[in-house]
Amino acid sequence: MPSETLWEIAKAEVERRGSNGSEGDGVETGEKSVFFIGSKNGGKTTIILRCLDRDEPPKPTLALEYTYGRRAKGHNIPKDIAHFWELGGGTSLLDLISIPITSDTLRTFSIVLVLDLSKPNDLWPTMENLLHATKLHVDKVIMKLGKKNAKAVSEMRQKIWSNMQKDHPDRELIDPFPIPLVIIGSKYDIFQDFDSEKRKVICKTLRFVAHYYGASLMFTSKSEALLLKIRGVINQLAFGIDKSKSTCVDQNKPLFVTAGLDSLSQIGSPPVPDNDIGKLHAHSPMELWKKVYEKLFPPKSINTLKDVKDPARDPQYAESEVDEMRIQKDQELEQYKRSSSKSWKQMELDS
């Protein structure tokens, strides 16, 4: 199906939801949305195609793509509809996160974060940037929704906390993501050949992050058995199918931990020698795990890791004459900003 047609479908769907939301509470029975974000070339499209039973080669996701799936509930009963969104470019297109997540879709929205296990040095910054940007926008949408429908926001919070038993010892120590979150570690077939100590650090770190955010965690690869497990989890998000209660926390096997079934005592402390813990200055458990992780897997330098958001500053499009003119105009703009700021301050003093 041409991408242009898909965008038209997505646009019409958002508009239709908006019109319905103005009359009711904005919830469409039988419709859910799943948003795939994560590592560039991490396998997001492959997972979506597998979930939709589409036997076609995955194509690179250029920016933000949309597709949908239907599932029959029974004879003469309307089919459930699942809306699948996918953010391409890794962390380079964070601004597009706001498009599918709106106050009309939020109550039936889920996030799937796909992380490339074969690139451990990129894993933490990719995860951190995407989750931070997504949570920032979701929190804004929740505030907006709360002004119109406080009951809906309260129900959302109760639903998130329902994944964890009331007597769970970690209830006071975690901070669940505001909407359902699943973390998938992809390319397990490459990861399984890593040194055991590296696998241990990655597994324990991801278990901590998933548990802290009240998320499910699982590893996958091109293996049909693992893809079927992932498909079951995505179907639960998309169509409300019953959750799997199975758990595997063995670092020598693909992890599979359903939200609420792990614990800090089982995960253990960050994998670092006791005499080194005191040397790591951290203001929170999350920051401590980050420092331990990045000690073994230092992120790439800022210059290589930073994604170019402005094509005008992309080195591959460099043109000396145009760039010189651009620098001149930027300098003129900065000078204008400074002079404008001085003028405003003088006006305030005069008044």
PDB file of all heavy atoms in Angstrom, residues 6-43:
ATOM      1  N   LEU A   6      -1.409   5.558   3.324  1.00  0.00           N
ATOM      2  CA  LEU A   6      -1.362   5.268   4.751  1.00  0.00           C
ATOM      3  C   LEU A   6      -1.447   6.545   5.577  1.00  0.00           C
ATOM      4  O   LEU A   6      -2.126   6.596   6.599  1.00  0.00           O
ATOM      5  CB  LEU A   6      -0.070   4.512   5.091  1.00  0.00           C
ATOM      6  CG  LEU A   6       0.022   3.072   4.584  1.00  0.00           C
ATOM      7  CD1 LEU A   6       1.382   2.492   4.933  1.00  0.00           C
ATOM      8  CD2 LEU A   6      -1.072   2.210   5.186  1.00  0.00           C
ATOM      9  N   TRP A   7      -0.745   7.573   5.120  1.00  0.00           N
ATOM     10  CA  TRP A   7      -0.800   8.852   5.839  1.00  0.00           C
ATOM     11  C   TRP A   7      -2.206   9.438   5.791  1.00  0.00           C
ATOM     12  O   TRP A   7      -2.668  10.036   6.762  1.00  0.00           O
ATOM     13  CB  TRP A   7       0.206   9.835   5.240  1.00  0.00           C
ATOM     14  CG  TRP A   7       1.578   9.660   5.808  1.00  0.00           C
ATOM     15  CD1 TRP A   7       2.661   9.109   5.212  1.00  0.00           C
ATOM     16  CD2 TRP A   7       1.998  10.006   7.120  1.00  0.00           C
ATOM     17  NE1 TRP A   7       3.731   9.089   6.063  1.00  0.00           N
ATOM     18  CE2 TRP A   7       3.361   9.633   7.246  1.00  0.00           C
ATOM     19  CE3 TRP A   7       1.371  10.600   8.225  1.00  0.00           C
ATOM     20  CZ2 TRP A   7       4.094   9.821   8.397  1.00  0.00           C
ATOM     21  CZ3 TRP A   7       2.114  10.801   9.381  1.00  0.00           C
ATOM     22  CH2 TRP A   7       3.443  10.418   9.459  1.00  0.00           C
ATOM     23  N   GLU A   8      -2.875   9.291   4.654  1.00  0.00           N
ATOM     24  CA  GLU A   8      -4.245   9.786   4.544  1.00  0.00           C
ATOM     25  C   GLU A   8      -5.163   9.058   5.515  1.00  0.00           C
ATOM     26  O   GLU A   8      -6.024   9.656   6.164  1.00  0.00           O
ATOM     27  CB  GLU A   8      -4.748   9.612   3.108  1.00  0.00           C
ATOM     28  CG  GLU A   8      -4.088  10.575   2.117  1.00  0.00           C
ATOM     29  CD  GLU A   8      -4.484  10.279   0.677  1.00  0.00           C
ATOM     30  OE1 GLU A   8      -5.212   9.288   0.465  1.00  0.00           O
ATOM     31  OE2 GLU A   8      -4.050  11.009  -0.211  1.00  0.00           O
ATOM     32  N   ILE A   9      -4.943   7.733   5.628  1.00  0.00           N
ATOM     33  CA  ILE A   9      -5.742   6.945   6.568  1.00  0.00           C
ATOM     34  C   ILE A   9      -5.479   7.406   7.993  1.00  0.00           C
ATOM     35  O   ILE A   9      -6.401   7.611   8.790  1.00  0.00           O
ATOM     36  CB  ILE A   9      -5.396   5.443   6.432  1.00  0.00           C
ATOM     37  CG1 ILE A   9      -5.854   4.916   5.068  1.00  0.00           C
ATOM     38  CG2 ILE A   9      -6.048   4.633   7.557  1.00  0.00           C
ATOM     39  CD1 ILE A   9      -5.379   3.515   4.770  1.00  0.00           C
ATOM     40  N   ALA A  10      -4.187   7.587   8.317  1.00  0.00           N
ATOM     41  CA  ALA A  10      -3.823   8.015   9.670  1.00  0.00           C
ATOM     42  C   ALA A  10      -4.392   9.394   9.993  1.00  0.00           C
ATOM     43  O   ALA A  10      -4.915   9.625  11.081  1.00  0.00           O
ATOM     44  CB  ALA A  10      -2.298   8.026   9.815  1.00  0.00           C
ATOM     45  N   LYS A  11      -4.292  10.307   9.045  1.00  0.00           N
ATOM     46  CA  LYS A  11      -4.792  11.668   9.245  1.00  0.00           C
ATOM     47  C   LYS A  11      -6.305  11.661   9.478  1.00  0.00           C
ATOM     48  O   LYS A  11      -6.821  12.307  10.381  1.00  0.00           O
ATOM     49  CB  LYS A  11      -4.454  12.530   8.024  1.00  0.00           C
ATOM     50  CG  LYS A  11      -4.816  14.001   8.163  1.00  0.00           C
ATOM     51  CD  LYS A  11      -4.273  14.777   6.971  1.00  0.00           C
ATOM     52  CE  LYS A  11      -4.606  16.267   7.103  1.00  0.00           C
ATOM     53  NZ  LYS A  11      -6.027  16.536   6.926  1.00  0.00           N
ATOM     54  N   ALA A  12      -7.011  10.880   8.645  1.00  0.00           N
ATOM     55  CA  ALA A  12      -8.465  10.791   8.776  1.00  0.00           C
ATOM     56  C   ALA A  12      -8.855  10.185  10.120  1.00  0.00           C
ATOM     57  O   ALA A  12      -9.821  10.609  10.761  1.00  0.00           O
ATOM     58  CB  ALA A  12      -9.051   9.954   7.634  1.00  0.00           C
ATOM     59  N   GLU A  13      -8.054   9.198  10.563  1.00  0.00           N
ATOM     60  CA  GLU A  13      -8.339   8.534  11.836  1.00  0.00           C
ATOM     61  C   GLU A  13      -8.182   9.491  13.006  1.00  0.00           C
ATOM     62  O   GLU A  13      -9.022   9.545  13.908  1.00  0.00           O
ATOM     63  CB  GLU A  13      -7.402   7.339  12.012  1.00  0.00           C
ATOM     64  CG  GLU A  13      -7.571   6.586  13.320  1.00  0.00           C
ATOM     65  CD  GLU A  13      -8.950   5.998  13.478  1.00  0.00           C
ATOM     66  OE1 GLU A  13      -9.584   5.653  12.454  1.00  0.00           O
ATOM     67  OE2 GLU A  13      -9.419   5.900  14.630  1.00  0.00           O
ATOM     68  N   VAL A  14      -7.105  10.277  12.994  1.00  0.00           N
ATOM     69  CA  VAL A  14      -6.871  11.245  14.064  1.00  0.00           C
ATOM     70  C   VAL A  14      -7.976  12.299  14.092  1.00  0.00           C
ATOM     71  O   VAL A  14      -8.479  12.681  15.137  1.00  0.00           O
ATOM     72  CB  VAL A  14      -5.485  11.917  13.903  1.00  0.00           C
ATOM     73  CG1 VAL A  14      -5.332  13.074  14.880  1.00  0.00           C
ATOM     74  CG2 VAL A  14      -4.383  10.901  14.119  1.00  0.00           C
ATOM     75  N   GLU A  15      -8.369  12.773  12.893  1.00  0.00           N
ATOM     76  CA  GLU A  15      -9.438  13.775  12.812  1.00  0.00           C
ATOM     77  C   GLU A  15     -10.763  13.215  13.321  1.00  0.00           C
ATOM     78  O   GLU A  15     -11.522  13.879  14.012  1.00  0.00           O
ATOM     79  CB  GLU A  15      -9.579  14.257  11.368  1.00  0.00           C
ATOM     80  CG  GLU A  15      -8.406  15.124  10.905  1.00  0.00           C
ATOM     81  CD  GLU A  15      -8.515  15.500   9.434  1.00  0.00           C
ATOM     82  OE1 GLU A  15      -9.382  14.924   8.743  1.00  0.00           O
ATOM     83  OE2 GLU A  15      -7.720  16.354   8.980  1.00  0.00           O
ATOM     84  N   ARG A  16     -11.025  11.933  12.971  1.00  0.00           N
ATOM     85  CA  ARG A  16     -12.277  11.321  13.407  1.00  0.00           C
ATOM     86  C   ARG A  16     -12.300  11.170  14.923  1.00  0.00           C
ATOM     87  O   ARG A  16     -13.305  11.442  15.570  1.00  0.00           O
ATOM     88  CB  ARG A  16     -12.434   9.938  12.753  1.00  0.00           C
ATOM     89  CG  ARG A  16     -13.739   9.231  13.126  1.00  0.00           C
ATOM     90  CD  ARG A  16     -13.867   7.916  12.369  1.00  0.00           C
ATOM     91  NE  ARG A  16     -12.883   6.956  12.837  1.00  0.00           N
ATOM     92  CZ  ARG A  16     -13.028   6.244  13.960  1.00  0.00           C
ATOM     93  NH1 ARG A  16     -14.091   6.440  14.725  1.00  0.00           N
ATOM     94  NH2 ARG A  16     -12.115   5.377  14.326  1.00  0.00           N
ATOM     95  N   ARG A  17     -11.143  10.786  15.484  1.00  0.00           N
ATOM     96  CA  ARG A  17     -11.066  10.646  16.930  1.00  0.00           C
ATOM     97  C   ARG A  17     -11.269  11.983  17.623  1.00  0.00           C
ATOM     98  O   ARG A  17     -11.887  12.079  18.668  1.00  0.00           O
ATOM     99  CB  ARG A  17      -9.710  10.066  17.334  1.00  0.00           C
ATOM    100  CG  ARG A  17      -9.596   8.594  17.028  1.00  0.00           C
ATOM    101  CD  ARG A  17      -8.201   8.119  17.341  1.00  0.00           C
ATOM    102  NE  ARG A  17      -8.140   6.686  17.276  1.00  0.00           N
ATOM    103  CZ  ARG A  17      -7.535   5.914  18.179  1.00  0.00           C
ATOM    104  NH1 ARG A  17      -6.949   6.481  19.201  1.00  0.00           N
ATOM    105  NH2 ARG A  17      -7.503   4.619  18.051  1.00  0.00           N
ATOM    106  N   GLY A  18     -10.696  13.027  16.994  1.00  0.00           N
ATOM    107  CA  GLY A  18     -10.831  14.363  17.571  1.00  0.00           C
ATOM    108  C   GLY A  18     -12.277  14.794  17.642  1.00  0.00           C
ATOM    109  O   GLY A  18     -12.732  15.346  18.637  1.00  0.00           O
ATOM    110  N   SER A  19     -13.035  14.533  16.571  1.00  0.00           N
ATOM    111  CA  SER A  19     -14.436  14.929  16.551  1.00  0.00           C
ATOM    112  C   SER A  19     -15.247  14.124  17.554  1.00  0.00           C
ATOM    113  O   SER A  19     -16.136  14.625  18.221  1.00  0.00           O
ATOM    114  CB  SER A  19     -15.024  14.753  15.141  1.00  0.00           C
ATOM    115  OG  SER A  19     -14.968  13.395  14.741  1.00  0.00           O
ATOM    116  N   ASN A  20     -14.916  12.837  17.708  1.00  0.00           N
ATOM    117  CA  ASN A  20     -15.612  12.012  18.687  1.00  0.00           C
ATOM    118  C   ASN A  20     -15.272  12.450  20.105  1.00  0.00           C
ATOM    119  O   ASN A  20     -16.126  12.470  20.980  1.00  0.00           O
ATOM    120  CB  ASN A  20     -15.232  10.537  18.513  1.00  0.00           C
ATOM    121  CG  ASN A  20     -15.866   9.927  17.276  1.00  0.00           C
ATOM    122  OD1 ASN A  20     -16.815  10.463  16.745  1.00  0.00           O
ATOM    123  ND2 ASN A  20     -15.311   8.808  16.818  1.00  0.00           N
ATOM    124  N   GLY A  21     -14.006  12.805  20.283  1.00  0.00           N
ATOM    125  CA  GLY A  21     -13.551  13.182  21.619  1.00  0.00           C
ATOM    126  C   GLY A  21     -14.212  14.439  22.134  1.00  0.00           C
ATOM    127  O   GLY A  21     -14.363  14.628  23.319  1.00  0.00           O
ATOM    128  N   SER A  22     -14.642  15.326  21.232  1.00  0.00           N
ATOM    129  CA  SER A  22     -15.268  16.564  21.664  1.00  0.00           C
ATOM    130  C   SER A  22     -16.655  16.327  22.223  1.00  0.00           C
ATOM    131  O   SER A  22     -17.197  17.132  22.951  1.00  0.00           O
ATOM    132  CB  SER A  22     -15.356  17.538  20.475  1.00  0.00           C
ATOM    133  OG  SER A  22     -16.159  17.004  19.441  1.00  0.00           O
ATOM    134  N   GLU A  23     -17.252  15.172  21.881  1.00  0.00           N
ATOM    135  CA  GLU A  23     -18.597  14.878  22.354  1.00  0.00           C
ATOM    136  C   GLU A  23     -18.579  13.927  23.543  1.00  0.00           C
ATOM    137  O   GLU A  23     -19.472  13.921  24.371  1.00  0.00           O
ATOM    138  CB  GLU A  23     -19.420  14.250  21.213  1.00  0.00           C
ATOM    139  CG  GLU A  23     -19.605  15.202  20.033  1.00  0.00           C
ATOM    140  CD  GLU A  23     -20.288  14.509  18.861  1.00  0.00           C
ATOM    141  OE1 GLU A  23     -20.688  13.343  19.024  1.00  0.00           O
ATOM    142  OE2 GLU A  23     -20.422  15.134  17.808  1.00  0.00           O
ATOM    143  N   GLY A  24     -17.558  13.082  23.656  1.00  0.00           N
ATOM    144  CA  GLY A  24     -17.509  12.109  24.733  1.00  0.00           C
ATOM    145  C   GLY A  24     -16.217  12.221  25.500  1.00  0.00           C
ATOM    146  O   GLY A  24     -15.662  13.285  25.687  1.00  0.00           O
ATOM    147  N   ASP A  25     -15.740  11.046  25.958  1.00  0.00           N
ATOM    148  CA  ASP A  25     -14.516  11.071  26.756  1.00  0.00           C
ATOM    149  C   ASP A  25     -13.291  10.735  25.941  1.00  0.00           C
ATOM    150  O   ASP A  25     -12.202  10.605  26.460  1.00  0.00           O
ATOM    151  CB  ASP A  25     -14.626  10.104  27.938  1.00  0.00           C
ATOM    152  CG  ASP A  25     -14.873   8.667  27.480  1.00  0.00           C
ATOM    153  OD1 ASP A  25     -14.816   8.426  26.253  1.00  0.00           O
ATOM    154  OD2 ASP A  25     -15.095   7.803  28.342  1.00  0.00           O
ATOM    155  N   GLY A  26     -13.451  10.582  24.619  1.00  0.00           N
ATOM    156  CA  GLY A  26     -12.295  10.387  23.760  1.00  0.00           C
ATOM    157  C   GLY A  26     -11.829   8.953  23.634  1.00  0.00           C
ATOM    158  O   GLY A  26     -10.796   8.690  23.055  1.00  0.00           O
ATOM    159  N   VAL A  27     -12.569   7.977  24.174  1.00  0.00           N
ATOM    160  CA  VAL A  27     -12.150   6.590  24.103  1.00  0.00           C
ATOM    161  C   VAL A  27     -12.942   5.843  23.044  1.00  0.00           C
ATOM    162  O   VAL A  27     -14.158   5.922  22.997  1.00  0.00           O
ATOM    163  CB  VAL A  27     -12.344   5.890  25.468  1.00  0.00           C
ATOM    164  CG1 VAL A  27     -11.979   4.424  25.368  1.00  0.00           C
ATOM    165  CG2 VAL A  27     -11.517   6.566  26.530  1.00  0.00           C
ATOM    166  N   GLU A  28     -12.236   5.155  22.173  1.00  0.00           N
ATOM    167  CA  GLU A  28     -12.873   4.338  21.148  1.00  0.00           C
ATOM    168  C   GLU A  28     -12.786   2.884  21.575  1.00  0.00           C
ATOM    169  O   GLU A  28     -11.717   2.309  21.666  1.00  0.00           O
ATOM    170  CB  GLU A  28     -12.171   4.535  19.797  1.00  0.00           C
ATOM    171  CG  GLU A  28     -12.468   5.864  19.144  1.00  0.00           C
ATOM    172  CD  GLU A  28     -13.905   5.979  18.688  1.00  0.00           C
ATOM    173  OE1 GLU A  28     -14.440   5.006  18.141  1.00  0.00           O
ATOM    174  OE2 GLU A  28     -14.490   7.041  18.902  1.00  0.00           O
ATOM    175  N   THR A  29     -13.922   2.283  21.881  1.00  0.00           N
ATOM    176  CA  THR A  29     -13.934   0.890  22.286  1.00  0.00           C
ATOM    177  C   THR A  29     -13.416   0.017  21.155  1.00  0.00           C
ATOM    178  O   THR A  29     -13.823   0.150  20.015  1.00  0.00           O
ATOM    179  CB  THR A  29     -15.377   0.463  22.645  1.00  0.00           C
ATOM    180  OG1 THR A  29     -15.876   1.352  23.634  1.00  0.00           O
ATOM    181  CG2 THR A  29     -15.396  -0.955  23.174  1.00  0.00           C
ATOM    182  N   GLY A  30     -12.516  -0.906  21.496  1.00  0.00           N
ATOM    183  CA  GLY A  30     -12.009  -1.819  20.482  1.00  0.00           C
ATOM    184  C   GLY A  30     -10.865  -1.261  19.665  1.00  0.00           C
ATOM    185  O   GLY A  30     -10.424  -1.902  18.725  1.00  0.00           O
ATOM    186  N   GLU A  31     -10.365  -0.072  19.998  1.00  0.00           N
ATOM    187  CA  GLU A  31      -9.244   0.522  19.268  1.00  0.00           C
ATOM    188  C   GLU A  31      -8.110   0.860  20.230  1.00  0.00           C
ATOM    189  O   GLU A  31      -8.324   1.467  21.267  1.00  0.00           O
ATOM    190  CB  GLU A  31      -9.685   1.793  18.535  1.00  0.00           C
ATOM    191  CG  GLU A  31     -10.682   1.538  17.421  1.00  0.00           C
ATOM    192  CD  GLU A  31     -10.859   2.753  16.530  1.00  0.00           C
ATOM    193  OE1 GLU A  31      -9.922   3.565  16.454  1.00  0.00           O
ATOM    194  OE2 GLU A  31     -11.924   2.881  15.921  1.00  0.00           O
ATOM    195  N   LYS A  32      -6.913   0.420  19.855  1.00  0.00           N
ATOM    196  CA  LYS A  32      -5.730   0.732  20.651  1.00  0.00           C
ATOM    197  C   LYS A  32      -4.597   1.157  19.722  1.00  0.00           C
ATOM    198  O   LYS A  32      -4.612   0.836  18.536  1.00  0.00           O
ATOM    199  CB  LYS A  32      -5.308  -0.485  21.475  1.00  0.00           C
ATOM    200  CG  LYS A  32      -6.333  -0.930  22.524  1.00  0.00           C
ATOM    201  CD  LYS A  32      -5.837  -2.142  23.288  1.00  0.00           C
ATOM    202  CE  LYS A  32      -6.882  -2.663  24.262  1.00  0.00           C
ATOM    203  NZ  LYS A  32      -7.167  -1.705  25.343  1.00  0.00           N
ATOM    204  N   SER A  33      -3.618   1.869  20.290  1.00  0.00           N
ATOM    205  CA  SER A  33      -2.470   2.332  19.512  1.00  0.00           C
ATOM    206  C   SER A  33      -1.184   1.847  20.160  1.00  0.00           C
ATOM    207  O   SER A  33      -1.047   1.879  21.384  1.00  0.00           O
ATOM    208  CB  SER A  33      -2.448   3.863  19.430  1.00  0.00           C
ATOM    209  OG  SER A  33      -3.615   4.352  18.789  1.00  0.00           O
ATOM    210  N   VAL A  34      -0.240   1.416  19.319  1.00  0.00           N
ATOM    211  CA  VAL A  34       1.067   0.964  19.791  1.00  0.00           C
ATOM    212  C   VAL A  34       2.135   1.745  19.028  1.00  0.00           C
ATOM    213  O   VAL A  34       2.135   1.762  17.798  1.00  0.00           O
ATOM    214  CB  VAL A  34       1.263  -0.551  19.569  1.00  0.00           C
ATOM    215  CG1 VAL A  34       2.599  -0.994  20.160  1.00  0.00           C
ATOM    216  CG2 VAL A  34       0.119  -1.349  20.194  1.00  0.00           C
ATOM    217  N   PHE A  35       3.025   2.386  19.766  1.00  0.00           N
ATOM    218  CA  PHE A  35       4.041   3.253  19.179  1.00  0.00           C
ATOM    219  C   PHE A  35       5.414   2.611  19.360  1.00  0.00           C
ATOM    220  O   PHE A  35       5.882   2.425  20.487  1.00  0.00           O
ATOM    221  CB  PHE A  35       3.985   4.619  19.864  1.00  0.00           C
ATOM    222  CG  PHE A  35       4.783   5.701  19.189  1.00  0.00           C
ATOM    223  CD1 PHE A  35       5.311   5.536  17.921  1.00  0.00           C
ATOM    224  CD2 PHE A  35       5.013   6.913  19.836  1.00  0.00           C
ATOM    225  CE1 PHE A  35       6.043   6.543  17.300  1.00  0.00           C
ATOM    226  CE2 PHE A  35       5.733   7.929  19.231  1.00  0.00           C
ATOM    227  CZ  PHE A  35       6.256   7.736  17.956  1.00  0.00           C
ATOM    228  N   PHE A  36       6.067   2.259  18.262  1.00  0.00           N
ATOM    229  CA  PHE A  36       7.394   1.649  18.292  1.00  0.00           C
ATOM    230  C   PHE A  36       8.463   2.728  18.144  1.00  0.00           C
ATOM    231  O   PHE A  36       8.484   3.459  17.156  1.00  0.00           O
ATOM    232  CB  PHE A  36       7.545   0.632  17.161  1.00  0.00           C
ATOM    233  CG  PHE A  36       6.803  -0.657  17.391  1.00  0.00           C
ATOM    234  CD1 PHE A  36       5.428  -0.728  17.210  1.00  0.00           C
ATOM    235  CD2 PHE A  36       7.478  -1.801  17.803  1.00  0.00           C
ATOM    236  CE1 PHE A  36       4.737  -1.913  17.435  1.00  0.00           C
ATOM    237  CE2 PHE A  36       6.804  -2.995  18.026  1.00  0.00           C
ATOM    238  CZ  PHE A  36       5.430  -3.045  17.840  1.00  0.00           C
ATOM    239  N   ILE A  37       9.344   2.803  19.136  1.00  0.00           N
ATOM    240  CA  ILE A  37      10.479   3.706  19.098  1.00  0.00           C
ATOM    241  C   ILE A  37      11.720   2.880  19.423  1.00  0.00           C
ATOM    242  O   ILE A  37      11.611   1.755  19.909  1.00  0.00           O
ATOM    243  CB  ILE A  37      10.328   4.869  20.102  1.00  0.00           C
ATOM    244  CG1 ILE A  37      10.200   4.329  21.543  1.00  0.00           C
ATOM    245  CG2 ILE A  37       9.129   5.734  19.762  1.00  0.00           C
ATOM    246  CD1 ILE A  37      10.110   5.405  22.622  1.00  0.00           C
ATOM    247  N   GLY A  38      12.912   3.417  19.164  1.00  0.00           N
ATOM    248  CA  GLY A  38      14.098   2.662  19.545  1.00  0.00           C
ATOM    249  C   GLY A  38      15.286   2.860  18.633  1.00  0.00           C
ATOM    250  O   GLY A  38      15.357   3.818  17.853  1.00  0.00           O
ATOM    251  N   SER A  39      16.229   1.939  18.740  1.00  0.00           N
ATOM    252  CA  SER A  39      17.495   2.020  18.008  1.00  0.00           C
ATOM    253  C   SER A  39      17.272   2.055  16.509  1.00  0.00           C
ATOM    254  O   SER A  39      16.377   1.382  15.980  1.00  0.00           O
ATOM    255  CB  SER A  39      18.377   0.814  18.345  1.00  0.00           C
ATOM    256  OG  SER A  39      18.595   0.705  19.727  1.00  0.00           O
ATOM    257  N   LYS A  40      18.091   2.833  15.836  1.00  0.00           N
ATOM    258  CA  LYS A  40      18.059   2.863  14.378  1.00  0.00           C
ATOM    259  C   LYS A  40      18.488   1.494  13.851  1.00  0.00           C
ATOM    260  O   LYS A  40      19.462   0.908  14.322  1.00  0.00           O
ATOM    261  CB  LYS A  40      19.013   3.952  13.877  1.00  0.00           C
ATOM    262  CG  LYS A  40      18.890   4.249  12.396  1.00  0.00           C
ATOM    263  CD  LYS A  40      19.762   5.442  12.032  1.00  0.00           C
ATOM    264  CE  LYS A  40      19.601   5.801  10.554  1.00  0.00           C
ATOM    265  NZ  LYS A  40      20.413   6.988  10.203  1.00  0.00           N
ATOM    266  N   ASN A  41      17.732   0.973  12.894  1.00  0.00           N
ATOM    267  CA  ASN A  41      17.992  -0.368  12.335  1.00  0.00           C
ATOM    268  C   ASN A  41      17.960  -1.444  13.417  1.00  0.00           C
ATOM    269  O   ASN A  41      18.681  -2.446  13.338  1.00  0.00           O
ATOM    270  CB  ASN A  41      19.351  -0.411  11.616  1.00  0.00           C
ATOM    271  CG  ASN A  41      19.439   0.585  10.472  1.00  0.00           C
ATOM    272  OD1 ASN A  41      18.481   0.761   9.725  1.00  0.00           O
ATOM    273  ND2 ASN A  41      20.577   1.251  10.353  1.00  0.00           N
ATOM    274  N   GLY A  42      17.104  -1.236  14.412  1.00  0.00           N
ATOM    275  CA  GLY A  42      17.031  -2.180  15.527  1.00  0.00           C
ATOM    276  C   GLY A  42      16.059  -3.320  15.336  1.00  0.00           C
ATOM    277  O   GLY A  42      16.002  -4.228  16.160  1.00  0.00           O
ATOM    278  N   GLY A  43      15.253  -3.261  14.271  1.00  0.00           N
ATOM    279  CA  GLY A  43      14.315  -4.353  14.005  1.00  0.00           C
ATOM    280  C   GLY A  43      12.859  -4.048  14.323  1.00  0.00           C
ATOM    281  O   GLY A  43      12.031  -4.963  14.417  1.00  0.00           O
TER     282      GLY A  43
END
